[in-house]
Amino acid sequence: AVKVMLKTASLPIDTFNPILTRQDTLPDKPHPAVALEACSQWGLQPNQCLFVGDSADDMRCGLAAGMTSCLLQPKAPPNALEEIEHPGDDAHFTISSLGELHEMIEHAISTD
């Protein structure tokens, strides 16, 4: 699923590394282990990282790890049912595509 999303956003497969998924042996989200593992692999502290996900558990995971969280929430069709949970309630930022994330990062880098 991650590779498909990157391709749809016209981003190279290695844009985000590491990509940790359910196939890894870490505890399931919202446990912060997956976020902390990424920090460890990068040699960074959680407050230096942005956690991007598409669910309430993703947002809770990033927050529990001490990261800024960004909710990827593609625009739903007009007749879609509203979700019971509102994952955006736990997010610092909400985007509708990975392309927006790329633009946001590029803007942050250029103004730094």
Side-chain angles (χ1 to χ4, degrees):
V2 174
K3 290 179 183 179
V4 170
M5 290 174 69
L6 289 171
K7 185 176 180 180
T8 300
S10 300
L11 296 172
I13 221 62
D14 63 349
T15 298
F16 303 103
N17 189 20
I19 295 175
L20 302 169
T21 66
R22 292 178 191 218
Q23 286 74 36
D24 295 297
T25 60
L26 299 165
D28 289 338
K29 296 176 274 180
H31 192 283
V34 67
L36 296 172
E37 176 61 25
C39 290
S40 174
Q41 288 188 33
W42 290 326
L44 297 171
Q45 295 299 310
N47 65 351
Q48 297 174 292
C49 299
L50 175 65
F51 190 93
V52 180
D54 62 0
S55 71
D57 279 348
D58 289 339
M59 297 302 95
R60 292 181 191 119
C61 173
L63 292 174
M67 296 177 158
T68 298
S69 63
C70 180
L71 176 66
L72 172 60
Q73 191 169 46
K75 291 182 175 36
N79 60 350
L81 296 175
E82 186 175 334
E83 290 185 40
I84 294 172
E85 278 194 287
H86 300 282
D89 293 348
D90 295 315
H92 292 99
F93 303 99
T94 301
I95 58 172
S96 61
S97 73
L98 286 177
E100 283 182 53
L101 177 63
H102 188 251
E103 291 171 17
M104 186 173 74
I105 292 169
E106 288 293 325
H107 178 74
I109 290 170
S110 69
T111 59
D112 190 22

